[in-house]
Amino acid sequence: MTVKHLSVEYNKVNERGTFSPGDIIFGRVTVVTSKETKVQCFLVRAKGKAEVTWCEQEGQTTVVHRDKKKYFYFEHIILQDKKKGDGSEIIGPGRNVYPFTFEIPNTDMPSSYEGKWGKITYNLRAKLTQSIWLVYKTKTEFPFLTKSDFPFASKSEMIIVGLKEQQCATRISFFGSGKVTMNVTSEKMGVKQGEAVGVSVEVLNDSVRIVTPKFYLCEKQTFVAKSKRTVHTNDILFGTGDSVPAQTSRTITKVLSIPPQLPLTFFNCCMMKLEYRLKVTLDVPLARDPEIKLPLVILLGSPKPHQQKPKRSIWFRKLPG
């Protein structure tokens, strides 16, 4: 094995470390060889794609639902044996670096995302083929950020009304011991990553039970494969408010901080979408807990450097024997 190391890297184009439609990727493939090496083909590829996969039990049969969509695919040949005999397919001994560039199409594409049953990825792959039995591969993913201001809106909508408006909802629940009224108010529907939003719940407890409000961030992931659809939900507990004794009323306010790395709300992918809700429940002993959900749209926050995953550099070692 004369090829000892193979890696593919790229240069950042902004503070976030992300790429968007229309950007140019400047990168390089590095290969280290122990001696002069002849190759059949040496190339680098850039690809953007979305894919979903999940299983369902239908009677005694397990059915796999799968679909994928390719956003772009480019290939650049670094070296290729065309039987010319001019030495163009030869890699010299030591460290060799081959630069390349790819221009990302300037079209609407969803941001990088990984959910329960699907993911949207953008990556670079290098492949060096010496023979049908000797092939070396390496890859690295690059973070992609959509240019769409409203990836959660339909294409017919130019703006979203109400992102900065206050939201309110009321629920009245009846128990054998009386009724409980819950009024929930949030400062706004659109919240940026890393931002805080105030949520208030007014509880009028006309029952003989003690009730306790709880605050949640609800995540809803929807996946579609052809005509099939599945949903994955997850509730993140933000906190618990003060209890409201029987026959009293109280207003509890919580300031909820949105995690800075929380994925953005999006709808601009035909196979998956991501939505959020603010949920407030009342913990009522020996009864079904009443709840109120308010829509929440997670918007892009202030720039933060992207924590790049370690690049997949591969060192090859000759096996004994």
Side-chain angles (χ1 to χ4, degrees):
M1 295 178 68
T2 59
V3 177
K4 299 300 181 183
H5 171 74
L6 180 66
S7 66
V8 57
E9 301 170 279
Y10 61 84
N11 298 333
K12 293 183 179 181
V13 295
N14 55 40
E15 182 182 357
R16 290 182 183 274
T18 58
F19 292 84
S20 295
D23 284 345
I24 297 177
I25 301 177
F26 294 92
R28 59 207 162 274
V29 179
T30 302
V31 57
V32 178
T33 62
S34 59
K35 62 180 181 180
E36 190 174 88
T37 304
K38 186 175 182 179
V39 300
Q40 289 185 352
C41 186
F42 186 19
L43 56 82
V44 59
R45 296 167 175 152
K47 183 193 291 187
K49 67 176 181 178
E51 54 186 337
V52 295
T53 304
W54 76 90
C55 299
E56 290 182 355
Q57 200 69 29
E58 297 183 3
Q60 299 297 317
T61 306
T62 300
V63 180
V64 179
H65 300 290
R66 181 182 292 114
D67 202 357
K68 61 182 178 180
K69 177 181 175 62
K70 188 185 298 181
Y71 292 108
F72 61 81
Y73 177 87
F74 301 111
E75 184 175 278
H76 171 65
I77 303 295
I78 299 174
L79 297 172
Q80 188 170 22
D81 183 2
K82 298 180 179 179
K83 301 188 183 300
K84 291 182 178 179
D86 59 1
S88 60
E89 70 280 5
I90 299 297
I91 296 178
R95 184 174 183 268
N96 299 268
V97 180
Y98 301 91
F100 63 83
T101 60
F102 289 115
E103 183 176 359
I104 300 174
N106 195 10
T107 58
D108 181 31
M109 294 178 285
S111 299
S112 301
Y113 174 70
E114 184 167 356
K116 180 68 174 180
W117 306 118
K119 58 184 178 180
I120 303 166
T121 57
Y122 300 85
N123 60 62
L124 298 167
R125 295 172 181 259
K127 179 180 178 182
L128 190 156
T129 303
Q130 282 190 271
S131 68
I132 192 173
W133 301 282
L134 206 53
V135 180
Y136 306 90
K137 298 179 181 179
T138 184
K139 76 169 184 176
T140 186
E141 292 186 8
F142 58 90
F144 185 83
L145 184 64
T146 181
K147 273 188 175 179
S148 173
D149 291 329
F150 303 110
F152 46 83
S154 67
K155 293 182 179 180
S156 63
E157 293 175 296
M158 298 304 293
I159 59 173
I160 296 296
V161 179
L163 286 178
K164 297 182 179 181
E165 298 297 322
Q166 190 181 72
Q167 301 183 90
C168 301
T170 299
R171 174 160 183 169
I172 301 175
S173 301
F174 294 91
F175 305 99
S177 56
K179 72 174 183 178
V180 177
T181 303
M182 175 171 54
N183 300 309
V184 177
T185 304
S186 71
E187 289 180 335
K188 52 190 174 181
M189 180 170 64
V191 186
K192 293 182 178 181
Q193 295 167 313
E195 194 176 25
V197 59
V199 181
S200 297
V201 54
E202 180 188 14
V203 180
L204 288 75
N205 186 4
D206 292 329
S207 73
V208 296
R209 308 183 187 192
I210 296 175
V211 298
T212 305
K214 292 184 177 180
F215 301 82
Y216 296 85
L217 172 65
C218 303
E219 177 189 51
K220 179 182 178 182
Q221 304 173 16
T222 303
F223 304 94
V224 178
K226 299 179 174 65
S227 60
K228 297 296 182 178
R229 176 179 176 271
T230 189
V231 172
H232 173 72
T233 58
N234 182 39
D235 290 356
I236 304 169
L237 177 64
F238 263 130
T240 302
D242 296 332
S243 297
V244 182
Q247 303 299 320
T248 61
S249 63
R250 180 174 293 174
T251 299
I252 298 100
T253 299
K254 277 280 185 182
V255 177
L256 310 180
S257 296
I258 304 301
Q261 300 302 327
L262 192 69
L264 306 177
T265 300
F266 72 87
F267 282 74
N268 62 338
C269 176
C270 61
M271 291 188 298
M272 64 189 86
K273 63 181 179 179
L274 179 62
E275 305 168 83
Y276 295 97
R277 298 286 188 273
L278 281 174
K279 182 173 76 172
V280 180
T281 68
L282 286 182
D283 187 3
V284 183
L286 304 176
R288 183 178 179 180
D289 297 345
E291 66 179 41
I292 288 178
K293 289 183 179 180
L294 296 175
L296 184 70
V297 175
I298 304 300
L299 305 169
L300 185 64
S302 55
K304 292 184 182 299
H306 174 75
Q307 299 298 319
Q308 184 178 343
K309 297 179 181 179
K311 60 181 180 293
R312 187 177 169 186
S313 300
I314 299 179
W315 285 88
F316 302 97
R317 178 172 55 89
K318 186 175 181 180
L319 298 177

